């Protein structure tokens, strides 16, 4: 927490937003050249020649027109991609947000300061809520440190979506509403929501101008838990949030509340702290049952975040990681939000739960730590840690499946105004040649090392280009969306086999991201039924991986891929050691 507080009170969290450069549009020929390079691992010579002809035709024809229109768009927007990306990547998706889109993972403190122990859910919950509220207060007062990459200031806009932000579903597209304001901007909602055994409660985090303390939060959560454990369960309206988005908009039952980013923090019953809360909003059906339902839903929609006290494991201890007074003020008890429901809604809740449990029962997730070495040794060997893991994953996939795996790795574009991400396509021709050499017993150690260094250099170059706004995936997306807005046919480039085979259109077999060089971890699900989700954090002494796959797919096994990646880490290290002998 102390690292988030500014050394100088003069620098404010959002003060550099207006001075950030606009997101550039890369040159068309450069993007198309990079695209052609990315498809080579997945095509034979004849297929590649056909794709090359399609790309040349695109570049000299409709692509040139679309690119010009995109440049015109960029002249009137500081980030030409921002609205499009929000829609395409998040708001237009009709699949279950909770299952397919939200990132989840263990709290980063479980392994070092809170070893497992039963019976301590409420203690842990109140401490984590308190720290989250402290962060909210830092954000409100703009005392969260401005993040930098070297000397370059990074965009901080996404932090505005951490609190008091909701996604409201529509039939074809959702929308986002945020009620967060800094102190300089005005009042901001300060209440939070607690879900427990199908019931919904609310209490304010501010009392008489001061934030509630951990003992006061403990008092509120204990009150809720005792009531819920001694009284009948509630209807469980929140379960409806796990279904497919359009269904609720069409049948007019309930628009969904989804935490986009959740940190799972567990006691002897699990505790989920939703750092970004996607709120309920009422449709006509629920409103017509009782007008008060709308008022209750709007209260949830505006809340800071949501805490879920459900009945699950694992568990953890109640060590004291707080500061301040143990005094508990006479603050108002939590208010229960009681909705009017009927049998139709009760039936829908039951169906939704059945759908959810069936879907998640097909999910395989493994979370392992590789401890023989980590970032420190990689740096010593002058190997970029992130590239090290990406190439190891390529080798592991090749070993498991006997072919290259098209791979999406997230690169940040936060050097630019409201920048978010670009795609690094990790499965390069250089990576594939190296993988083949590692599996060819006739290849010398020297040749393998040379090929590995080439693969490293290629990946490092791509990542740097992406971070500087010179990637190509978002550019190709922009050209496609321009065509759609103009009512033009989909260009042949986007229906060519090479586009899908190389991962385009959301078809990456490996969906990956470095969550950072800290204890924070988590994962998302595979993009495709025969794919993997592969998220990892790299620390000085270890690499922690969270890998997911679908049990129903006979081709994939998250456990096997993870274990194979661990072996590849060792193989790569041995390669560098053997070369020095």
């Amino acid at each position: 927490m102390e690292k988030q507080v500014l050394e100088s009170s003069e620098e404010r969290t959002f003060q550099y937003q207006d001075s950030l450069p606009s997101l550039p549009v890369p040159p068309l020929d450069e993007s198309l050249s990079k695209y052609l390079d990315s498809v080579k691992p997945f095509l034979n010579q004849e297929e590649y020649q056909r794709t090359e002809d399609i790309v040349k035709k695109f570049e000299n024809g409709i692509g040139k027109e679309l690119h010009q229109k995109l440049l015109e768009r960029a002249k009137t927007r500081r980030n030409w991609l921002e609205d499009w990306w929000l829609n395409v990547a998040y708001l237009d998706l009709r699949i279950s947000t909770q299952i397919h889109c939200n990132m989840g993972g263990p709290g980063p403190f479980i392994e070092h300061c809170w070893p497992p122990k039963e019976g301590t859910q409420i203690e842990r919950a109140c401490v984590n809520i308190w720290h989250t509220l402290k962060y909210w207060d830092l954000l409100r007062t703009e005392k969260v440190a401005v993040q930098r990459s070297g000397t370059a200031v990074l965009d901080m806009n996404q932090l505005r979506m951490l609190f008091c932000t909701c996604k409201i579903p529509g039939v074809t597209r959702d929308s986002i509403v945020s009620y967060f304001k800094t102190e300089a901007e005005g009042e901001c909602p300060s209440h939070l929501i607690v879900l427990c055994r199908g019931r919904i409660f609310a209490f304010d985090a501010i009392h008489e101008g001061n934030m509630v303390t951990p003992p006061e939060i403990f008092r509120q959560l204990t009150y809720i838990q005792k009531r819920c454990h001694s009284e009948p369960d509630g209807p469980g309206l929140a379960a409806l949030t796990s279904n497919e988005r359009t269904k609720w908009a069409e049948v007019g039952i309930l628009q969904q509340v989804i935490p986009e980013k959740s940190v799972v923090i567990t006691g002897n019953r699990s505790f989920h702290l939703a750092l970004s809360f996607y709120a309920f909003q009422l449709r006509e059906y629920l409103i017509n049952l009782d007008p008060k339902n709308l008022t209750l839903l709007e209260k949830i929609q505006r809340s800071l975040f949501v805490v879920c006290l459900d009945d699950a494991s694992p568990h953890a201890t109640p060590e004291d990681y707080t500061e301040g007074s143990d005094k508990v003020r006479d603050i108002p008890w939590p208010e229960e939000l009681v909705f009017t429901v009927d049998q139709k809604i009760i039936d829908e809740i039951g169906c939704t739960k059945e759908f959810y449990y069936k879907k998640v029962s097909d999910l395989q997730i493994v979370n392992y730590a590789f401890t023989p070495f980590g970032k420190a040794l990689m740096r010593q060997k002058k190997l970029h840690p992130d590239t090290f893991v990406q190439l190891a994953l390529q080798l592991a996939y090749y070993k498991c499946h006997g072919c290259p795996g098209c791979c999406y790795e997230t690169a940040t574009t936060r050097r630019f105004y409201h920048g978010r991400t670009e795609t690094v396509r990790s499965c390069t021709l250089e990576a594939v040649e190296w993988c083949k050499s590692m599996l060819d017993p006739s290849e010398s150690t020297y040749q393998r090392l040379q090929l590995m260094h080439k693969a490293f250099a290629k990946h490092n170059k791509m990542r740097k280009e992406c971070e500087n706004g010179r990637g190509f995936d978002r550019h190709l997306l922009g050209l496609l969306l321009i065509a759609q807005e103009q009512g033009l046919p989909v260009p042949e480039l986007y229906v060519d086999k090479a586009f899908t085979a190389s991962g385009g259109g959301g078809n990456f077999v490996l969906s990956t991201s470095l969550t950072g060089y800290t204890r924070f971890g988590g994962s998302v699900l595979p993009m495709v039924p025969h794919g993997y989700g592969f998220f990892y954090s790299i620390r000085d002494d270890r690499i922690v991986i969270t890998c997911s796959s679908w049990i129903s797919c006979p081709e994939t096994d998250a456990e096997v891929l993870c274990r194979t990646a661990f072996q590849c880490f060792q193989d790569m290290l041995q390669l560098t050691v053997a070369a020095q002998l």
Side-chain angles (χ1 to χ4, degrees), residues 491-526:
E492 188 178 8
L493 182 150
Y494 299 95
V495 295
D496 178 33
K497 171 191 173 182
F499 188 72
T500 304
S502 62
N507 288 285
F508 290 97
V509 173
L510 293 166
S511 177
T512 77
S513 188
L514 167 67
T515 60
Y517 297 97
T518 67
R519 294 179 183 273
F520 175 77
S523 185
V524 295
L525 303 192

Side-chain angles (χ1 to χ4, degrees), residues 395-403 532 555 557 560-562 564-565:
L395 180 56
Y397 186 90
Y398 207 103
K399 282 185 174 183
C400 292
H401 296 276
C403 63
Y532 298 91
E555 304 169 26
D557 188 320
V560 172
L561 184 70
C562 192
T564 307

Side-chain angles (χ1 to χ4, degrees), residues 345-385:
I345 290 180
I346 297 298
D347 292 343
E348 286 290 348
I349 291 170
C351 292
T352 301
K353 287 181 177 179
E354 183 179 353
F355 162 81
Y356 175 82
Y357 287 121
K358 181 179 180 180
K359 192 70 176 175
V360 298
S361 67
D362 187 35
L363 181 63
Q364 179 188 23
I365 301 181
V366 297
N367 179 227
Y368 292 126
F370 174 83
T371 56
F373 62 87
K375 181 179 67 174
L377 186 58
M378 296 179 210
R379 290 294 192 192
Q380 182 182 323
K381 299 290 183 181
K382 295 182 170 54
L383 299 172
H384 193 289

